[in-house]
Amino acid sequence: MDIATRVYNHRWKMDPIIRSLIDTDFYKLLMCQSVFTNHPQTQVTFSLINRATHIPLADLIDEGELREQLDHIRALSLSRGESTFLRGNTFYGKRQMFRPDFMEWFENFRLPPYHLERVGDQYELTFQGTWCEAMLWEIPALAVLMELRSRAVLGRMKRFELQVLYARAMTRVWEKIEQLQGLEAVRIADFGTRRRHSFLWQDWCVQAMMEGLGAGFAGTSNCLIAMRREVEAIGTNAHELPMVYAALARTDDELAQSPYQVLADWQAEHSGNLRIILPDTFGTKGFLDRAPDWLPDWTGMRIDSGDPAAGAEIAIRWWQDRGQDPREKLVIFSDGLDVDKIKELHAQFSGRVKVSFGWGTLLTNDFRNLAPDDGLAPFSLVCKAVSANGRATVKLSDNPHKAMGPEDEIERYKRVFDLGPQVAQDVLV
């Protein structure tokens, strides 16, 4: 598809950014089913957080256009073909991953209302409802805001400027892929839905990875693209689960045990490569030091904050200390990756563990220095659960720049989880 011509020709009418409820990350659906089972009545609020406050989203994006896109998403429902894909396909070696009761609910699902308000040069965008309803706003809301920002910049460009822009961006992606082709037994998945340049661009990047990496391309987190391109849908679980479980804890003892209750519930439902530990929500070291005896048997670990090499070394020592062979364990790196870091980590850990990569924003939105005033550079925009049943959520992370929550609660969590000194890392995307 000629993306530049499509962009140029669709300036005159509303072009939906999200056209399907499964234009979302696979892990959101896995987590949604878990929440549907274990916390069906929990009330959760999600909120947009622009970490890059120098990007004035409310000045760049027209409020009416944003509302039009969000209202369109609220009208979407699961199509028959999408339902058949989720009900009948094999995911992670398992048929009927999604249970009939969950699918019956999802087939009748519509996203709940949103609250949008301009505050200065930013938007306050929140979603409230039962957890399994409100959580499904996260990915489409982020994708809409990222793409509307892209459209605002692209709308000032002429036809040939657009042609050259996309030619340069395609060349950049392909040159990155060429650098990865020589890596032995490399496994890389597309994790770039939430902060992509656009749906069409993410789809193009997936096709480029399919052709350029062949068997080295593990799949995509995007369910709709996985269905259309017949590749694996990839994803396990995210920080949202321990954040909400922790907020629901009534005592410090319950708080300390809440991350492990998340994994106990997950273990009751999933096996194999879906048993991936995400240890950094409240600090990796403390989490691993207090982990129950059954957790080292899990398949692997995802490193998503802090120094990725240091995180992998901690994981290797932890497995060794508990009688596990790290060479049989999977380590998934997924924090702010680009080609140089992928190559570096692959060289350092290949053969010591099974190495895999979730390549996100700098795969699907690397337009740095390609537009006037660097107007298309990616930035850090997130949508997080901020309260559960009226109680504030907290995230500590292995990178203090990613911490979130009320200051008094952050200090309480640091005490309960015995969080030691941390090294700050720049949050690029």
Side-chain angles (χ1 to χ4, degrees):
M1 175 180 289
D2 183 345
I3 298 177
T5 299
R6 170 69 179 268
V7 169
Y8 186 83
N9 288 341
H10 281 75
R11 293 173 174 173
W12 56 276
K13 64 180 180 180
M14 195 271 207
D15 185 15
I17 291 171
I18 303 295
R19 298 169 181 265
S20 166
L21 283 180
I22 67 167
D23 183 8
T24 193
D25 282 335
F26 184 63
Y27 81 86
K28 290 298 288 192
L29 299 185
L30 291 175
M31 293 199 309
C32 188
Q33 179 171 251
S34 179
V35 169
F36 177 82
T37 301
N38 296 300
H39 291 276
Q41 300 305 318
T42 298
Q43 298 290 309
V44 175
T45 299
F46 284 76
S47 182
L48 181 77
I49 301 169
N50 181 9
R51 291 171 175 155
T53 54
H54 65 282
I55 305 291
L57 289 177
D59 290 342
L60 292 169
I61 297 171
D62 178 76
E63 182 175 337
E65 190 173 4
L66 176 55
R67 288 186 182 277
E68 193 174 27
Q69 292 288 347
L70 297 174
D71 290 341
H72 171 77
I73 299 171
R74 288 201 65 212
L76 293 174
S77 61
L78 209 61
S79 73
R80 180 176 298 180
E82 292 162 352
S83 176
T84 300
F85 170 72
L86 294 176
R87 283 182 178 270
N89 201 28
T90 298
F91 301 102
Y92 284 82
K94 180 180 177 180
R95 291 189 65 84
Q96 293 187 324
M97 177 74 74
F98 298 102
R99 299 189 314 273
D101 61 333
F102 173 75
M103 285 305 305
E104 184 175 350
W105 171 83
F106 194 29
E107 286 161 353
N108 292 286
F109 173 73
R110 301 290 189 283
L111 282 162
Y114 61 87
H115 172 79
L116 175 65
E117 182 179 349
R118 178 173 179 146
V119 180
D121 60 2
Q122 301 294 335
Y123 283 119
E124 181 182 278
L125 180 59
T126 57
F127 312 98
Q128 293 179 304
T130 60
W131 188 5
C132 54
E133 294 175 340
M135 69 187 298
L136 292 178
W137 262 117
E138 177 189 355
I139 307 301
L142 289 172
V144 161
L145 282 154
M146 294 300 293
E147 186 161 348
L148 284 178
R149 183 261 197 159
S150 295
R151 289 183 182 185
V153 175
L154 297 171
R156 299 193 292 266
M157 301 177 72
K158 299 177 182 179
R159 183 190 297 269
F160 280 95
E161 287 182 293
L162 291 169
Q163 294 282 2
V164 172
L165 171 79
Y166 281 106
R168 289 172 175 166
M170 288 176 177
T171 300
R172 177 175 289 178
V173 170
W174 189 252
E175 287 177 345
K176 290 183 182 185
I177 292 172
E178 287 180 324
Q179 292 186 60
L180 299 171
Q181 288 172 340
L183 300 185
E184 184 178 354
V186 69
R187 296 286 289 168
I188 304 177
D190 157 42
F191 276 18
T193 299
R194 65 183 58 219
R195 287 189 287 268
R196 68 195 181 193
H197 172 75
S198 70
F199 174 80
L200 292 177
W201 184 249
Q202 184 185 13
D203 186 45
W204 185 91
C205 290
V206 166
Q207 293 177 74
M209 295 277 281
M210 291 169 63
E211 180 174 318
L213 293 183
F217 180 54
T220 176
S221 65
N222 188 291
C223 293
L224 182 61
I225 294 175
M227 181 181 75
R228 290 183 175 178
R229 299 300 170 192
E230 297 185 337
V231 297
E232 291 293 325
I234 300 293
T236 55
N237 57 73
H239 302 104
E240 175 186 334
L241 290 178
M243 287 173 65
V244 173
Y245 272 59
L248 297 175
R250 293 165 294 183
T251 66
D252 284 357
D253 287 342
E254 287 186 4
L255 175 60
Q257 289 303 310
S258 61
Y260 310 115
Q261 185 58 52
V262 169
L263 300 183
D265 288 347
W266 192 263
Q267 183 170 252
E269 194 163 3
H270 300 298
S271 60
N273 282 355
L274 285 176
R275 290 187 179 178
I276 300 296
I277 304 165
L278 181 62
D280 67 317
T281 309
F282 307 121
T284 292
K285 186 179 183 302
F287 173 89
L288 295 178
D289 287 346
R290 293 185 295 271
D293 292 341
W294 46 266
L295 197 54
D297 291 330
W298 274 36
T299 302
M301 195 176 301
R302 181 158 73 93
I303 311 296
D304 196 55
S305 67
D307 182 327
E313 295 290 359
I314 290 171
I316 288 171
R317 289 194 298 271
W318 182 71
W319 281 316
Q320 289 172 333
D321 291 345
R322 284 153 181 79
Q324 301 285 327
D325 183 353
R327 293 172 298 179
E328 298 301 317
K329 297 298 184 179
L330 176 64
V331 172
I332 302 172
F333 297 100
S334 61
D335 182 29
L337 296 177
D338 206 4
V339 62
D340 289 340
K341 181 58 69 173
I342 291 173
K343 291 164 62 179
E344 176 187 321
L345 293 169
H346 182 271
Q348 187 171 351
F349 293 102
S350 182
R352 300 176 63 196
V353 293
K354 297 177 181 178
V355 180
S356 184
F357 301 93
W359 193 7
T361 305
L362 295 180
L363 169 64
T364 62
N365 198 3
D366 190 1
F367 284 70
R368 291 173 294 181
N369 300 312
L370 295 183
D373 301 319
D374 207 15
L376 291 176
F379 63 101
S380 185
L381 183 70
V382 296
C383 184
K384 296 291 188 181
V386 295
S387 70
N389 286 350
R391 299 168 63 91
T393 62
V394 170
K395 180 183 177 185
L396 299 180
S397 180
D398 286 334
N399 182 357
H401 288 335
K402 288 188 172 184
M404 57 164 284
E407 285 298 325
D408 59 336
E409 283 295 282
I410 288 177
E411 293 306 314
R412 172 178 169 243
Y413 275 58
K414 286 180 177 180
R415 173 178 55 79
V416 169
F417 291 106
D418 193 23
L419 187 71
Q422 293 182 298
V423 178
Q425 305 276 331
D426 290 338
V427 180
L428 300 178
V429 291

